[in-house]
Amino acid sequence: MHVRTTITTLAAAAALSTAATSATAATEPLSEPRVAAHFSLAASQQPENITVDRTGSAYLTFSFARQIVRIAPGGRPHVMATLPAPAKASTPNLGKAFVGGIARAGDGTLYVTYATGTADLTGVWAVRPGGRPHRIAALPADGLPNGLALDQHTHRLYVTDSVHGVIYRLPARGGEATVWAHGGALHPSTFAGANGLKLHNGAVWATNLDQGTVLRIPITARGTAGGIQVRATGMPSIDDFAFTGHGDTLLAARDDNEVDLVRPDGTHTAVLTAADGLETPTSVAVHGSTVYVPSAAYLTNEDPNLLLAHLDR
């Protein structure tokens, strides 16, 4: 998540479209980038985070519309839930209510983070299949819960707070959230610290937007946080990310209209750019050989969309 400017509302709402747009600027190992869906900026349809199920259906959070949507392959967005609006939002850094990270359990339950600046709504919310959204854990109203990851084995959720610069952990069934990891590497310096979040190979991985870093935090045998390891640097405005496979290579979205390939040794290369259709990309998902990149147009104020690309294994 990265929103430094007020989102400009367009005068007229654009209809949703799934027409593919060709582009040719992708760099190996990505190819065949295409914009598969365009969203309405006027309706605040700005995708912040994404998860993908085994069928290839994408589940997205529309941050300022407070919505969770599903897009089946080749389909149109279907609104699954809308989170309740606060009486008066006072979300830190943003002012308006913000739906951030999303994770999906094997039974189809969707979890999202929600920040409103109010104690009654800020926290982690769940939507079970056929159910209504409900809060399962409160988080500090003066923080900005953002990235979210689910440990399918221990049934615990991990959450980044971009204002407080910590990672929380809580039971997926609901309950009290506790600080799992903290430290200077997670802190913000000007706007937002700990941001994107993934579980991978026995560790929690996170990004720090202000510091431009990728971090790895081992999960110890007791389930506590090990020492924070800086795995990559020099990526200003880095947002969320996804691993390309079983190894530690990942693809990271940056709000300066780049998606970077980050190698295990910390080196990184831009593999998608604005020439491919990126409009303030916010997150990445990888499903088989397909890469999904939502763009929220937070800074371009032009064309929020969902880009797909082929991952050459």
Side-chain angles (χ1 to χ4, degrees):
M1 183 284 306
H2 181 60
V3 189
R4 292 183 190 269
T5 60
T6 302
I7 305 303
T8 302
T9 302
L10 296 181
L16 289 173
S17 167
T18 55
T21 302
S22 61
T24 58
T27 300
E28 294 181 354
L30 300 189
S31 61
E32 304 172 24
R34 63 198 184 280
V35 175
H38 298 271
F39 307 122
S40 169
L41 185 61
S44 297
Q45 295 176 335
Q46 295 170 274
E48 169 63 25
N49 208 250
I50 184 170
T51 188
V52 179
D53 69 18
R54 65 184 63 186
T55 72
S57 293
Y59 300 82
L60 298 153
T61 53
F62 281 166
S63 56
F64 297 134
R66 312 188 320 278
Q67 292 175 335
I68 304 168
V69 301
R70 177 180 181 268
I71 306 179
R76 300 170 69 87
H78 166 69
V79 178
M80 302 181 66
T82 301
L83 273 64
K88 183 179 181 181
S90 56
T91 309
N93 292 357
L94 304 177
K96 59 184 75 176
F98 172 82
V99 182
I102 186 169
R104 184 177 184 274
D107 65 359
T109 299
L110 295 168
Y111 301 94
V112 297
T113 58
Y114 189 33
T116 65
T118 64
D120 60 327
L121 297 176
T122 300
V124 178
W125 289 64
V127 183
R128 295 187 173 88
R132 298 172 62 85
H134 62 284
R135 188 169 70 163
I136 63 169
L139 291 172
D142 62 351
L144 184 59
N146 197 342
L148 180 68
L150 170 65
D151 189 327
Q152 302 276 7
H153 301 291
T154 65
H155 306 289
R156 291 189 177 102
L157 291 160
Y158 294 80
V159 181
T160 58
D161 187 316
S162 297
V163 165
H164 290 301
V166 300
I167 297 175
Y168 298 106
R169 188 173 70 175
L170 64 136
R173 66 179 181 275
E176 183 181 1
T178 58
V179 173
W180 182 77
H182 60 89
L186 297 169
H187 291 173
S189 56
T190 58
F191 180 75
N195 193 341
L197 187 68
K198 291 292 183 292
L199 296 177
H200 180 73
N201 288 346
V204 173
W205 293 66
T207 58
N208 186 309
L209 186 145
D210 281 349
Q211 298 187 33
T213 52
V214 176
L215 310 170
R216 179 182 184 272
I217 310 173
I219 302 173
T220 70
R222 296 180 297 165
T224 58
I228 301 175
Q229 305 165 1
V230 178
R231 298 298 296 267
T233 61
M235 287 178 288
S237 301
I238 188 171
D239 206 316
D240 213 340
F241 59 99
F243 291 91
T244 60
H246 297 297
D248 290 348
T249 300
L250 59 88
L251 292 163
R254 291 174 48 177
D255 76 350
D256 51 0
N257 285 343
E258 280 190 17
V259 168
D260 283 4
L261 180 76
V262 184
R263 304 171 188 86
D265 64 0
T267 60
H268 46 90
T269 305
V271 291
L272 292 171
T273 69
D276 300 298
L278 297 183
E279 297 265 356
T280 319
T282 53
S283 50
V284 182
V286 176
H287 175 69
S289 60
T290 302
V291 174
Y292 300 67
V293 183
S295 281
Y298 289 142
L299 303 181
T300 64
N301 294 315
E302 292 181 1
D303 177 31
N305 63 55
L306 177 63
L307 180 147
L308 304 182
H310 180 77
L311 175 64
D312 301 316
R313 295 290 184 177

